Amino acid sequence: DTGVSQNPRHKITKRGQNVTFRCDPISEHNRLYWYRQTLGQGPEFLTYFQNEAQLEKSRLLSDRFSAERPKGSFSTLEIQRTEQGDSAMYLCASSLGLADHGELFFGEGSRLTVL
Amino acid sequence: DAKTTQPTSMDCAEGRAANLPCNHSTISGNEYVYWYRQIHSQGPQYIIHGLKNNETNEMASLIITEDRKSSTLILPHATLRDTAVYYCIVRSAYSGAGSYQLTFGKGTKLSVIP
């Protein structure tokens, strides 16, 4: 069990550029989640996948954001035309879905700074 | 629309028990109480969860009041490595729209003092 892996750990970009984050969940976990966390706040839910299906999206996920999980393994979160307000830590989590959803395992996060 | 209320911060002496309270007065019968913590610059870490009965694991104990409107997370012998933000979360036990997400509040910042 190598844990949830996220890359890159840090990304600095200029406003208007596109960025992509990758998440590799724990291998047998069928559920994958993306959260966003700004300074001083708790994480906020963005989206949820069960296998390759994206089952839930938050209103926070504007049309500039897109997430995929091809083949139900790793996932990517892309932000197009970044804005300064997108600066945050983007957290990925995975779980083995059982009756009560199970414990979520979080990665270390990808920190985005938009200049 | 956070469903829980926690103190903003708490201090605890190293080696003593840390008791972190959480109010969840609107909790429904099918909602669990979860606790996560987040050490600085790391992702959140699951600690424990419960429905009605008190629970204990290697990390902590969870005491839920009989009316389920509040709970207390107990770290029996706090160490400096327990310094973190602790989040109390209520979450539906059932699958379905809106049930997959954890709604984090601002949590309680616990400082363990040497």
Side-chain angles (χ1 to χ4, degrees):
Chain A
D1 179 1
T2 58
V4 177
S5 177
Q6 293 190 244
N7 288 288
R9 292 292 312 281
H10 303 275
K11 179 71 176 179
I12 300 174
T13 191
K14 292 182 179 180
R15 189 178 55 185
Q17 298 295 305
N18 299 343
V19 296
T20 299
F21 300 114
R22 176 181 171 122
C23 172
D24 288 275
I26 294 171
S27 59
E28 68 270 23
H29 284 186
N30 61 333
R31 299 185 177 198
L32 187 146
Y33 313 76
W34 284 98
Y35 283 77
R36 180 179 74 181
Q37 185 173 26
T38 54
L39 199 61
Q41 304 296 315
E44 298 171 292
F45 172 79
L46 292 178
T47 190
Y48 159 70
F49 289 86
Q50 184 164 310
N51 300 310
E52 66 276 8
Q54 188 174 20
L55 295 187
E56 198 157 317
K57 292 195 291 185
S58 162
R59 287 170 293 178
L60 293 174
L61 213 65
S62 75
D63 55 6
R64 295 185 299 105
F65 288 69
S66 63
E68 295 182 342
R69 192 183 182 197
K71 302 179 183 178
S73 56
F74 71 92
S75 175
T76 57
L77 177 68
E78 181 183 17
I79 309 174
Q80 296 182 325
R81 306 181 302 282
T82 53
E83 302 173 354
Q84 289 184 326
D86 297 331
S87 295
M89 176 76 83
Y90 291 85
L91 293 160
C92 177
S94 69
S95 71
L96 182 60
L98 296 174
D100 66 347
H101 303 287
E103 168 188 347
L104 266 63
F105 293 82
F106 282 83
E108 300 277 303
S110 293
R111 181 170 295 283
L112 173 66
T113 302
V114 181
L115 302 176
Chain B
D1 54 337
K3 296 183 178 180
T4 64
T5 304
Q6 299 177 253
T8 301
S9 63
M10 293 180 62
D11 291 340
C12 177
E14 187 179 17
R16 304 298 293 268
N19 295 278
L20 292 94
C22 179
N23 287 324
H24 31 79
S25 58
T26 61
I27 193 170
S28 63
N30 67 354
E31 288 182 317
Y32 282 84
V33 179
Y34 280 75
W35 283 83
Y36 280 75
R37 73 179 183 184
Q38 188 171 24
I39 296 169
H40 183 62
S41 296
Q42 296 184 19
Q45 176 191 22
Y46 166 84
I47 301 173
I48 199 167
H49 74 282
L51 185 62
K52 295 181 181 178
N53 300 321
N54 298 337
E55 302 287 344
T56 296
N57 62 22
E58 65 279 3
M59 289 182 69
S61 294
L62 174 60
I63 308 298
I64 302 174
T65 58
E66 193 169 343
D67 63 8
R68 302 186 68 241
K69 291 185 177 182
S70 66
S71 60
T72 301
L73 178 75
I74 301 172
L75 307 179
H77 305 285
T79 71
L80 299 179
R81 289 174 293 181
D82 292 323
T83 292
V85 178
Y86 286 76
Y87 297 101
C88 170
I89 301 162
V90 295
R91 187 182 189 193
S92 174
Y94 301 133
S95 300
S99 71
Y100 302 108
Q101 54 184 283
L102 294 175
T103 301
F104 290 81
K106 292 189 177 182
T108 296
K109 180 172 173 53
L110 175 68
S111 298
V112 180
I113 312 298

